[in-house]
């Protein structure tokens, strides 16, 4: 293995990652007897030409589990059996080492296994291999000659992961079968894989979900959307292991509906910053999988079973997937494999194994080429970053063409400005650094001749101040920087199975510019987060910080939970704590959140108290997914608030579970009333009038309030061609409401086909979409002008209390930081100190009564959005005929030469869990219906 000068690696050795691929031969596998693992692994021992030759000392699945894996299997393995079998193989085989990469929400370990030949798995050899591969990722410190030697002498790293969706179980069992074959096999095929690869196997990424046969983890998070934000501990541990053992090939094994199998080539769109080398590997691995699949081969029509298909449904666009992040962030061939869950257990496991084994075989046979190309990926990224060039948009499906090219702009630098939301700026810096992005703190003001300002604006001669953060693009992680920092993802083709925007500066609402100018500010590499005490206060004084960010809000709740007295200036949104309460622990907490504590005078302002929060889980609310789980995670785990469940009956009957709370949070759900009776609605109004706060999110949260006479907002009908697909839009902020404390006059919010609220006439429209030429949206939108002049957040007074209503979900995936800050403001809403507002009349305001009586909009999208298929208007009849084979509920309309078929999705299912969306799209393509756009 090649040696080079490198910095020491600091990721804790307890963290590891995922995946392995394996060979399964049909039928019962006889064991060899009398052959030890050690003697078989000696370099002088020739490999066997018998593919069934195995070490008798390594326990078979049947021995430990009591049943075979794959052919002949009748049930899936349990979490306990996963751990037991990993331990048994580790004990018996000198080709295997195991560990734990993370623990689940409920405390279960997430084990992994590392498999290779006995030389490669020795601790010193593993460290050397990992160091060599990491060196390939930085051509600034690795010469081409050294890289070539590494490609020749070092094994490649392959990950086999499974079960990120807890109910999709067969990939786990197949991964255990792969583990056995690599640990016990004596054939030349096994030897080639073990000599040329280090295989990381993570059998289950979601043990809590596996136990519950549930897609999400215990907090209701879809962890195959959590990759860039790393909010969940299971995801975070996995990514740290990936940093330690960067993959060249990454398998993420899933299940879907039906009895077919998907493996790449992928569907469009593919993100433009994914390297061409990785796409080439993915497509060639697809050919290997075709050759090794067996069963019925390629699917010939929609009714085919136990067959495979490609180029459909599963794209590589959103940077939260288990294929896009390994590909873009680590340069791997990241791949999603999907097996139909309606097949028998034996067929599901066997087909997962067959593709894992074929993938490993391709990687082993091509490892030298792959490692050489891997070095080229990072070399090209550096060159592109220096030139400021972005990768062009491309499509992979043979019948598609690029509809939206990447614009001809240059980007050489991003700057995160320190003028506001500084703690969230610093959290973004840490998120980048934890993906090996180099970030610098500006030490001296720097002039940028031409800049683009997030929100679609430009500026000249911008002075970047000291304390700003500079992210140059001329570094190896150029692709990743652009993928998550970019103001727009530049979708090439209008197929969407997730969101169309995830720009991190927009999600956080932080002040950001980027430029193609070749500027080199005086700056210092960031090595640790900034924050904590900036000076020494007098004993009678205070330490202050701006409560203008999600990170500062989290610090605030943490301090209140610890009993630290806090006051807030309602003009400046500055929080103060007595200087005598600044302990070392408090100082370290502030630093960890990126919050600077500034010495000040005597603390003064409005006292902050911990809210006593009731979390509604009545009619229409799912407690296992969506914003209910997001509330449990954000408010409960991160902010440390005690959440009391409140049911429909609690409100209808006015029980203490409801009346004893100071805040009621109603998540998104499917009921327009929450099941409240007229008496329950009166109870809710009376409770608010006593000085309490109602917080309503998206569909159910706003509709339940409207039905109870708490708001004059009504829902605006969406145009037939309306498509706002997880996009960011500019909003104007009315900072007269305490909900907006600390936010800028213009902000950004995330919209995922959310209800459109006509402005309130009885409250404050806290966030509104501009009606004029400052209106701006990114991502993919059609008909977004319908939002102009409408409200995104309203603050509705009733008596001494209020209802704060969000048209969108501010807790979405826990990565919408500016939305989190608004929720924190609503939770900390100051108590009324003066006479009730004139609008706070004893009865129901006539405008609110009128709104309550208005027809309720159909809930077409549940907690997600409906499926929308766009075709030419002339193609509507045949499209409708095909759609009616799957559902009778589609709604059709035509406008501007296009026809739109909207298929209700009341359960809020995403495309990869939808019962027929994939089959429907394939049927339309088979009928040669040109699809103008597909939104799932």
């Amino acid at each position: 293995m090649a040696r080079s000068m490198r910095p020491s690696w600091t990721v804790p050795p307890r963290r590891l990652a995922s995946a392995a691929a394996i060979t399964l031969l049909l039928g019962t596998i006889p064991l060899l007897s009398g052959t030890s693992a050690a003697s078989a692994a000696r370099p002088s021992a020739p490999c066997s030409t018998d593919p069934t030759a195995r070490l008798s000392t390594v326990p078979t699945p049947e021995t430990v589990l009591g049943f075979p894996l794959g052919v002949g299997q009748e049930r899936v393995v349990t979490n306990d059996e996963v751990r037991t079998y990993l331990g048994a193989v580790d004990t018996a085989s000198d080709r295997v080492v195991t560990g734990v990469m993370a623990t689940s929400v409920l405390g279960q370990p997430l084990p992994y296994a590392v498999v290779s030949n006995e030389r490669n798995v020795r601790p010193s050899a593993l460290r050397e291999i990992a160091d060599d591969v990491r060196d390939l990722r930085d051509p600034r410190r690795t010469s081409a000659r050294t890289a070539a030697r590494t490609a020749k002498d070092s094994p490649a790293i392959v990950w086999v992961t499974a079960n990120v969706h807890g109910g999709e179980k067969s990939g786990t069992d197949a991964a255990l079968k792969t583990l056995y074959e690599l640990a016990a096999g004596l054939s030349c095929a096994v030897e080639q894989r073990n000599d040329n690869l280090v295989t990381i196997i993570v059998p289950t990424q979601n043990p809590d979900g596996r136990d519950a046969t549930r897609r999400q983890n215990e907090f209701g998070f879809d962890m195959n959307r959590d990759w860039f934000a790393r909010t969940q501990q299971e995801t975070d541990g996995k990514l740290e292991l990936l940093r330690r053992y960067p993959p060249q090939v990454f398998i993420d094994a899933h299940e879907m509906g039906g009895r077919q199998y998907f493996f790449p080539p992928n569907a469009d769109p593919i993100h433009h910053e994914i390297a061409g080398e990785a796409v080439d590997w993915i497509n060639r691995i697809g050919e290997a999988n075709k050759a090794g699949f067996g069963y019925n081969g390629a699917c010939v029509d929609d009714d085919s079973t136990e067959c495979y298909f490609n180029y459909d449904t599963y794209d590589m666009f959103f940077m939260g997937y288990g294929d896009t992040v390994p590909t873009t962030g680590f340069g791997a061939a990241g791949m999603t494999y999907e097996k139909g869950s309606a097949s028998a257990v034996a067929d599901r496991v066997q087909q997962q194994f067959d593709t894992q084994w074929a993938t490993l075989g391709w990687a082993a046979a091509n490892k030298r080429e792959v490692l050489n190309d891997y070095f080229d990926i990072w070399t090209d990224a550096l060159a592109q970053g220096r030139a400021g060039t972005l990768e062009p948009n491309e499509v992979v499906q043979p019948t598609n063409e690029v509809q939206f090219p990447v614009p001809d702009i240059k980007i050489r630098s991003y700057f995160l400005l320190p003028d506001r939301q500084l703690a969230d700026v610093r959290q973004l810096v840490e998120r980048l650094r934890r993906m090996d992005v180099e970030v610098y703190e500006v030490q001296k003001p720097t002039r940028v001749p031409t800049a683009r300002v997030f929100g679609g604006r430009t500026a000249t001669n911008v002075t970047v101040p000291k304390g700003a953060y500079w992210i140059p693009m001329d570094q190896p992680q150029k692709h990743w920087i652009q993928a998550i920092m970019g103001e727009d993802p530049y979708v090439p083709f209008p197929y969407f199975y997730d969101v169309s925007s995830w720009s991190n500066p927009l999600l956080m609402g932080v002040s950001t510019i980027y430029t193609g100018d070749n500027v080199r500010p005086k700056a210092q590499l960031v090595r640790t987060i900034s924050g904590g005490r900036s000076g020494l206060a007098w004993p009678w004084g205070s330490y202050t910080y701006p409560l203008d960010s999600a990170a500062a809000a989290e610090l605030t709740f943490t301090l209140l939970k610890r009993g630290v007295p806090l006051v807030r200036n309602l003009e400046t949104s500055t929080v103060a704590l007595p200087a005598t309460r600044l302990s070392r622990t408090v100082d370290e907490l502030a630093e960890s959140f990126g919050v600077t504590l500034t010495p000040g005078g005597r603390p003064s302002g409005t006292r902050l108290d911990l809210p006593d929060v009731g979390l509604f889980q009545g009619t229409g609310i799912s407690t296992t997914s969506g914003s209910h789980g997001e509330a449990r995670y954000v408010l409960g785990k991160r902010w440390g608030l005690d959440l009391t469940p409140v049911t429909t009956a609690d409100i209808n009957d006015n029980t203490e579970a409801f009346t004893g709370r100071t805040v009621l949070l109603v998540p998104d759900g499917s009921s327009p009333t929450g099941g409240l009776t007229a008496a329950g609605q009166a109870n809710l109004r009376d409770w608010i009038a006593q000085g309490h706060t109602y917080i309503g999110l998206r569909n159910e949260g706003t509709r339940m309030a409207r039905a109870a006479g708490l708001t004059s907002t009504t829902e605006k009908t969406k145009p037939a061609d309306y498509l706002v697909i997880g996009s960011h839009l500019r909003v104007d902020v009315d900072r007269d409401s305490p909900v907006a404390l600390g936010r800028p006059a213009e902000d950004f919010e995330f919209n995922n086909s959310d209800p459109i609220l006509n402005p309130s006439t009885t409250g404050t429209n806290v966030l509104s979409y501009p009606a004029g030429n400052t209106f701006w949206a990114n991502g993919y939108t059609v008909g977004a002008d319908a939002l102009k002049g409408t409200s995104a957040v309203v603050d509705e007074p009733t008596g001494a209390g209020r209802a704060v209503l969000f048209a969108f979900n501010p807790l979405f995936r826990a990565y919408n930081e500016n939305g989190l800050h608004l929720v924190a403001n609503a939770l900390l809403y100051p108590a009324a100190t003066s006479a009730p507002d004139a609008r706070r009349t004893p009865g129901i305001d006539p405008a609110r009564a009128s709104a309550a009586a208005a027809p309720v909009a159909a809930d077409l999208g549940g907690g997600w959005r409906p499926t929308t298929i766009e075709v030419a208007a002339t193609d509507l009849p045949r499209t409708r005929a095909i759609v009616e084979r799957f559902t009778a509920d589609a709604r059709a309309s035509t406008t501007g030469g296009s026809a739109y078929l909207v298929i209700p999705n009341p359960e809020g299912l995403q495309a990869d869990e939808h019962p027929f969306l994939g089959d429907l799209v394939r049927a339309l393509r088979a009928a040669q219906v040109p699809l103008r756009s597909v939104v799932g």
Side-chain angles (χ1 to χ4, degrees):
M1 286 171 284
R3 298 177 181 273
S4 65
M5 298 300 294
R6 59 172 69 94
S8 61
W9 183 245
T10 57
V11 173
R14 63 185 175 83
R15 299 226 171 148
L16 223 66
S18 99
I22 300 175
T23 175
L24 174 340
L25 306 151
L26 300 178
T28 303
I29 300 172
L31 299 176
L32 294 181
S33 58
T35 307
S36 71
S39 63
R42 281 195 292 266
S44 58
C47 60
S48 174
T49 57
D50 178 3
T52 67
R54 292 173 180 81
L55 295 166
S56 62
T57 52
V58 177
T60 66
E62 293 95 324
T63 302
V64 177
L65 305 175
F67 55 87
L69 297 175
V71 174
Q73 184 176 352
E74 295 184 356
R75 70 166 178 86
V76 294
V77 300
T78 66
N79 280 320
D80 285 342
E81 289 170 336
V82 169
R83 294 188 285 266
T84 297
Y85 191 64
L86 282 177
V89 174
D90 184 12
T91 299
S93 175
D94 55 5
R95 302 176 189 174
V96 177
V97 294
T98 61
V100 173
M101 72 180 187
T103 56
S104 72
V105 173
L106 295 181
Q108 295 196 71
L110 274 68
Y112 65 86
V114 182
V115 195
S116 191
N117 65 38
E118 65 172 1
R119 300 179 303 280
N120 290 340
V121 298
R122 293 169 182 160
S124 59
L126 271 180
R127 285 194 298 270
E128 187 77 7
I129 291 166
D131 286 345
D132 284 341
V133 171
R134 280 196 303 275
D135 280 350
L136 293 178
R137 300 179 69 197
D138 194 348
R140 297 169 302 181
R141 70 173 187 238
T142 304
S143 68
R145 182 176 181 179
T146 299
R149 190 163 64 248
T150 295
K152 174 178 176 291
D153 297 339
S154 292
I157 299 175
V158 176
W159 280 58
V160 178
T161 69
N163 203 204
V164 71
H165 293 146
E168 302 172 7
K169 301 183 179 184
S170 58
T172 297
D173 303 41
L176 295 180
K177 185 175 178 63
T178 297
L179 172 67
Y180 171 68
E181 295 295 334
L182 292 177
L186 294 172
S187 70
C188 294
V190 171
E191 181 180 82
Q192 183 190 42
R193 286 160 172 81
N194 284 337
D195 285 350
N196 288 346
L197 305 175
V198 169
T199 303
I200 315 289
I201 299 178
V202 178
T204 175
Q205 303 170 71
N206 184 5
D208 296 347
R210 187 179 184 88
D211 279 346
T213 313
R214 181 184 63 230
R215 178 183 178 92
Q216 298 85 1
N217 76 342
E218 183 61 21
F219 281 123
F221 276 67
D222 184 337
M223 292 192 293
N224 200 36
R225 306 294 188 272
D226 187 49
W227 278 73
F228 78 75
R230 304 171 64 161
T231 67
Q232 301 304 289
Q233 59 202 59
E234 298 95 334
T235 311
D236 189 62
K238 174 174 58 186
L239 276 156
E240 285 304 290
L241 190 61
L242 275 159
R243 293 177 67 201
R244 189 179 179 193
Y245 293 101
Q248 287 71 67
V249 175
F250 188 98
I251 296 171
D252 194 20
H254 291 253
E255 289 184 7
M256 60 181 178
R259 296 177 59 192
Q260 299 182 347
Y261 197 106
F262 168 84
F263 51 78
N266 294 92
D268 290 317
I270 289 183
H271 195 279
H272 66 95
E273 285 296 329
I274 289 176
E277 291 89 345
V279 174
D280 177 60
W281 303 340
I282 290 168
N283 293 344
R284 289 165 61 191
I285 289 170
E287 293 301 313
N289 285 338
K290 291 177 185 179
F293 186 79
Y295 282 82
N296 293 330
C299 301
V300 294
D301 55 46
D302 297 338
D303 297 325
S304 299
T305 62
E306 311 310 334
C307 56
Y308 67 80
F309 67 91
N310 325 110
Y311 291 120
D312 214 333
T313 306
Y314 300 99
D315 64 306
M316 288 188 71
F317 188 62
F318 170 58
M319 285 296 142
Y321 293 148
D323 51 14
T324 53
V325 174
T327 304
T328 316
F330 293 92
M335 297 169 293
T336 294
Y337 292 175
E338 297 268 357
K339 171 56 193 165
S341 59
S343 296
V345 170
D347 292 330
R348 281 155 42 206
V349 174
Q350 186 65 45
Q351 289 172 31
Q352 297 273 29
F353 170 77
D354 289 343
T355 53
Q356 290 177 14
W357 188 251
T359 299
L360 289 176
W362 183 91
N366 294 278
K367 78 95 183 175
R368 186 170 183 176
E369 176 192 353
V370 166
L371 289 174
N372 277 319
D373 287 354
Y374 192 70
F375 180 70
D376 290 343
I377 288 174
W378 309 103
T379 303
D380 292 345
L382 271 172
Q384 291 170 16
R386 291 190 188 104
T389 58
L390 304 182
E391 291 270 23
N393 262 337
E394 296 179 352
V395 292
V396 294
Q397 290 177 255
T399 58
N400 289 344
E401 295 180 0
V402 172
Q403 293 191 21
F404 309 107
V406 174
D408 184 18
I409 60 173
K410 291 188 179 299
I411 303 178
R412 286 190 170 94
S413 296
Y414 283 92
F415 289 95
L416 300 172
L417 305 182
D419 54 322
R420 55 181 176 82
Q421 283 76 51
L422 181 56
D424 281 349
V425 167
R426 289 169 173 166
Q427 292 300 319
L428 177 51
V429 168
E430 290 307 293
R431 182 179 291 173
L432 291 164
R433 291 180 61 243
R434 295 186 73 219
M435 281 294 286
D436 304 307
V437 174
E438 296 161 4
V439 183
Y440 298 80
E441 184 172 353
V442 175
Q443 303 296 302
K444 183 179 179 181
T446 300
R447 186 177 70 87
V448 177
T450 58
R452 294 176 180 265
V453 182
F454 269 55
R457 292 170 174 159
T458 59
T460 57
N461 294 320
V462 176
T463 298
V464 175
K466 178 182 178 181
Y469 291 94
W470 172 46
I471 304 144
M473 294 287 271
D474 60 337
Q475 57 176 299
Q477 278 291 52
K478 175 261 180 181
H479 295 312
W480 181 248
I481 295 167
Q482 183 60 27
I484 69 163
M485 290 288 292
E487 185 181 20
D488 197 290
Y490 305 125
V491 62
F493 199 81
Y495 282 14
F496 295 95
Y497 299 109
D498 204 80
V499 300
S500 68
S501 175
W502 53 90
S503 169
N504 278 216
L506 293 175
L507 284 168
M508 290 188 165
V510 298
S511 185
T512 309
I513 66 172
Y514 55 104
T515 182
D517 296 335
N518 194 4
V519 294
R520 308 296 296 185
K522 181 180 180 181
Q524 184 174 345
L525 181 67
V526 176
R527 299 187 182 278
T528 186
I529 192 170
S530 296
R533 188 183 68 184
S534 64
L536 189 62
W538 292 102
W540 47 262
S542 65
Y543 290 96
T544 67
Y545 61 90
L547 207 177
D548 66 348
S549 61
E554 188 167 349
L555 172 65
T556 300
F557 288 122
T558 304
L559 295 179
L560 289 172
K561 186 77 172 179
R562 291 170 175 263
V564 178
L566 301 176
V567 293
R568 187 181 194 183
N569 183 313
L570 300 183
E571 296 296 324
T572 64
S573 192
T574 298
V575 172
L577 65 143
T580 55
R581 299 303 298 270
L582 180 68
S583 64
R584 180 174 180 179
T585 300
V586 169
D587 189 30
E588 291 174 348
L589 273 172
E591 181 180 9
S592 71
F593 289 119
V595 176
T596 297
L597 302 178
T598 304
R602 295 187 186 278
S604 63
T606 301
R607 189 181 76 181
L608 292 178
D609 294 308
L610 269 180
D612 187 341
V613 182
L615 179 58
F616 186 67
Q617 57 183 48
T619 303
I621 301 296
S622 169
T623 60
T624 59
S625 63
S627 61
H628 185 279
E630 290 158 352
R632 288 190 292 116
Y633 170 71
V634 174
L635 277 67
K637 181 176 175 62
R638 281 177 46 176
W639 293 354
L641 301 179
D642 296 325
L643 304 178
T644 300
V646 176
T647 66
T648 299
D650 288 326
I651 301 176
N652 286 339
D653 298 338
N654 234 22
T655 70
E656 196 279 335
F658 164 55
T659 60
R661 313 283 73 79
T662 61
V663 176
L664 177 67
L665 188 145
V666 179
D668 190 16
S670 60
S671 172
T673 65
L676 299 190
T677 61
Q681 291 172 341
N683 292 339
L684 181 58
R685 291 193 299 272
D686 291 344
W687 173 83
I688 293 173
Q690 295 168 28
H692 300 137
T693 299
Y694 172 104
I695 302 174
L697 310 186
R698 206 169 180 256
N699 291 313
E700 181 156 347
T702 58
R703 291 168 181 171
M704 181 169 150
R706 184 177 301 111
L710 297 173
T711 178
S712 57
T713 62
T714 55
E715 287 192 34
K716 182 177 179 180
T717 302
K718 296 174 181 175
D721 60 346
Y722 180 80
L723 294 174
V724 177
I725 309 164
S727 304
H728 278 98
L729 296 101
R730 179 180 286 113
V731 288
D732 292 329
V733 182
D734 186 337
R735 292 187 284 183
D736 287 340
S737 168
V739 177
L741 275 173
R743 298 311 304 177
E746 288 185 335
D747 211 343
F748 301 99
E749 277 307 339
F750 182 81
N751 188 311
N752 189 31
S753 195
D754 302 323
I756 305 175
L757 298 187
N758 290 310
S760 170
T761 60
T762 56
T764 301
N765 296 291
V766 183
L767 299 187
S768 301
Y769 298 106
N773 58 12
T774 60
F775 183 85
W776 176 85
N778 80 338
Y780 185 77
T781 63
V782 177
D785 281 358
L787 289 166
K788 288 184 174 181
T790 65
S791 295
V793 179
V794 296
D795 179 359
E796 293 274 16
T798 293
R802 78 290 308 162
V804 180
L805 307 181
F806 292 82
F808 60 98
N809 177 11
L811 305 178
F812 184 71
R813 295 176 179 168
Y815 64 41
N816 184 18
E817 282 83 359
N818 49 9
L820 300 186
H821 178 214
L822 293 169
V823 172
N825 280 343
L827 290 168
L828 295 170
Y829 204 109
T833 57
S834 59
D837 190 293
R839 294 170 295 182
R840 306 180 184 199
T841 55
I844 300 178
D845 182 279
R848 293 179 177 179
S850 175
V856 177
D859 184 18
L860 297 180
W864 183 239
R865 62 191 180 216
T867 296
T868 303
I869 296 173
E870 179 191 2
V871 297
T874 54
D875 286 325
L876 177 58
R878 61 181 180 137
T879 303
R880 193 202 303 266
I882 295 170
V883 170
E884 287 176 350
R885 288 162 36 192
F886 296 86
T887 177
D889 297 330
R891 304 180 179 199
S893 61
T894 58
T895 182
S898 285
Y900 296 86
L901 287 97
V902 178
I903 301 171
N905 182 22
E907 296 181 25
L909 300 177
Q910 298 198 20
D912 55 350
E913 58 179 334
H914 196 279
F916 62 79
L917 176 57
D919 292 336
L920 170 58
V921 171
R922 286 192 289 277
L924 291 167
R925 284 199 178 123
Q928 298 184 335
V929 177
L931 300 176
R932 293 185 172 181
S933 68
V934 176
V935 176

